[in-house]
Amino acid sequence: MKTYTVAVLGATGAVGQEMIKILQERNFPVGKLVPLASARSAGKTVRFRGEDVTIQEATETAFAGVDIVLGAAENDIAKKFAPDIVKSGAVFVDNSSAFRLDPKVPLIVPEVNPEDVKNHQGIISNPNCSTIITVTAVNALNAISPIRSMTASTYQAVSGAGAGGPIELMAEVDALREGKTYEPKVFSHQIAFNLIPQIGGEQFEGYTSEEMKMQNEGRKIMHLPELKVSCTCVRVPVVRSHSISVSCHFDVPVTVEQVRQAIAKAPGCKLVDDLASKQYPMPLDTSDQDIVFVGRIRPDLTDDNGVCLWCCGDQVRKGAATNAIQIAELLIQG
């Protein structure tokens, strides 16, 4: 079997660590792993297939001989090194938002638009975590009738803000239990026992950058250039796995049974929809795995051509690391 030299840019972060873990889980044919991080992490090690692999500093020359670079770094780092990665001959599968809306860069969810991988020019973008989970859940409905608009609310776990998110949540809970105060550092407000209805800065007409991703990225992934989405993104005191409430609106009436059948057959989805038995998607059930659970399917009482549903998925895995490695798998399939 052919093997590949795979670099992980941002190997010490939450997503980078998860990428390394999932490369092992999915038996990706890694001949050599090249973990890359900042100078302060260089010389440390990561565990891969039972061995300690030394982390190297990410520099302009670090990509020589690499076949695939999995990006788990911030936008500025992705932009800085993208030209060097492409020049080296590697393919950059980038988890940042730096190139997602670039018309020359495919934006891929493998269950939805795998054919777009062939259009890459050295860079492929991984979509936003909530977008990945949502489009995986709803894309199958396009076969019934194209989705013309969506209204969505996301309930995003603290780990979506990085490794410091869960630490801050737990620290606040402990402090409040002891009657102490805790000054938030990761989030703009206390997250323990609270909801924060802002993720990202204002971008358009009161919508945040995180909220606009659902429309802008969803259009590109599902090939629905006229899709309109109103989204509200909320940070919730859940450790892991994002949840999304979605109303999909079509040009023709779509029945609940049609939606259930489509979801049950959709790749990457699991239908969990039995209200009487209290069976529906929840963060605890969807954490640390790669399937998007979909349930609470019902008519939209405000639109005869609308259907409502609820979905949950692990944002660190399917919403980031696993999706990137699935893209890499598409690349090596030719």
Side-chain angles (χ1 to χ4, degrees):
M1 177 188 291
K2 183 177 179 180
T3 61
Y4 300 83
T5 299
V6 179
V8 178
L9 179 61
T12 57
V15 173
Q17 292 176 44
E18 201 74 15
M19 285 174 170
I20 293 169
K21 173 184 173 184
I22 293 167
L23 284 168
Q24 296 178 84
E25 283 183 14
R26 296 178 72 93
N27 294 315
F28 192 88
V30 179
K32 179 183 179 181
L33 179 72
V34 183
L36 299 172
S38 65
R40 66 178 178 273
S41 295
K44 298 178 181 178
T45 60
V46 295
R47 198 78 175 162
F48 183 66
R49 292 178 179 165
E51 298 182 358
D52 290 328
V53 182
T54 302
I55 297 170
Q56 302 177 29
E57 181 182 358
T59 65
E60 290 83 353
T61 59
F63 309 100
V66 173
D67 298 303
I68 298 170
V69 178
L70 300 174
E74 298 299 323
N75 285 18
D76 57 340
I77 302 298
K79 290 178 180 178
K80 176 182 177 180
F81 289 115
D84 302 305
I85 294 169
V86 175
K87 185 178 179 181
S88 76
V91 179
F92 186 22
V93 181
D94 179 32
N95 192 60
S96 83
S97 62
F99 305 102
R100 288 177 186 160
L101 299 183
D102 186 329
K104 296 179 181 178
V105 176
L107 184 65
I108 304 294
V109 176
E111 292 87 349
V112 178
N113 61 331
E115 68 284 351
D116 290 352
V117 165
K118 298 175 183 177
N119 301 326
H120 80 81
Q121 298 177 28
I123 303 173
I124 300 171
S125 273
N126 215 29
N128 173 257
C129 50
S130 293
T131 303
I132 290 174
I133 294 164
T134 304
V135 300
T136 300
V138 306
N139 181 68
L141 308 187
N142 277 315
I144 305 170
S145 176
I147 301 168
R148 59 177 169 82
S149 66
M150 297 194 304
T151 303
S153 293
T154 72
Y155 303 78
Q156 298 185 213
V158 292
S159 53
I167 294 171
E168 180 151 298
L169 172 61
M170 299 305 179
E172 286 180 353
V173 170
D174 289 343
L176 291 165
R177 184 187 297 119
E178 296 172 7
K180 300 177 181 178
T181 59
Y182 185 96
E183 186 66 29
K185 301 177 184 64
V186 176
F187 302 109
S188 57
H189 302 277
Q190 174 186 313
I191 187 60
F193 313 115
N194 194 25
L195 303 176
I196 304 174
Q198 178 183 358
I199 303 176
E202 183 175 354
Q203 181 171 322
F204 176 76
E205 296 286 354
Y207 286 88
T208 69
S209 54
E210 185 82 358
E211 290 161 348
M212 294 307 298
K213 289 173 185 176
M214 188 74 79
Q215 172 174 282
N216 297 335
E217 296 180 18
R219 286 176 171 178
K220 186 173 179 179
I221 298 162
M222 295 193 289
H223 299 166
L224 295 171
E226 304 301 321
L227 178 70
K228 295 181 178 180
V229 180
S230 286
C231 184
T232 303
C233 291
V234 184
R235 188 72 69 190
V236 299
V238 168
V239 172
R240 187 153 171 163
S241 200
H242 289 353
S243 305
I244 303 99
S245 172
V246 190
S247 297
C248 295
H249 309 281
F250 309 89
D251 289 323
V252 298
V254 173
T255 68
V256 167
E257 188 54 36
Q258 283 178 301
V259 172
R260 285 193 176 125
Q261 289 179 8
I263 295 297
K265 298 175 183 176
C269 290
K270 180 178 180 180
L271 182 66
V272 183
D273 191 28
D274 188 344
L275 189 62
S277 299
K278 298 181 174 59
Q279 297 296 311
Y280 24 69
M282 294 185 293
L284 286 178
D285 295 332
T286 52
S287 294
D288 203 26
Q289 56 83 59
D290 298 320
I291 302 298
V292 176
F293 288 19
V294 187
R296 294 302 321 276
I297 301 169
R298 58 207 189 276
D300 186 334
L301 301 183
T302 71
D303 182 357
D304 291 339
N305 296 347
V307 174
C308 300
L309 58 82
W310 169 264
C311 58
C312 293
D314 187 314
Q315 89 288 350
V316 182
R317 289 184 61 105
K318 180 53 187 166
T322 301
N323 199 78
I325 290 162
Q326 287 177 292
I327 293 170
E329 289 170 348
L330 292 175
L331 285 170
I332 67 173
Q333 288 170 10

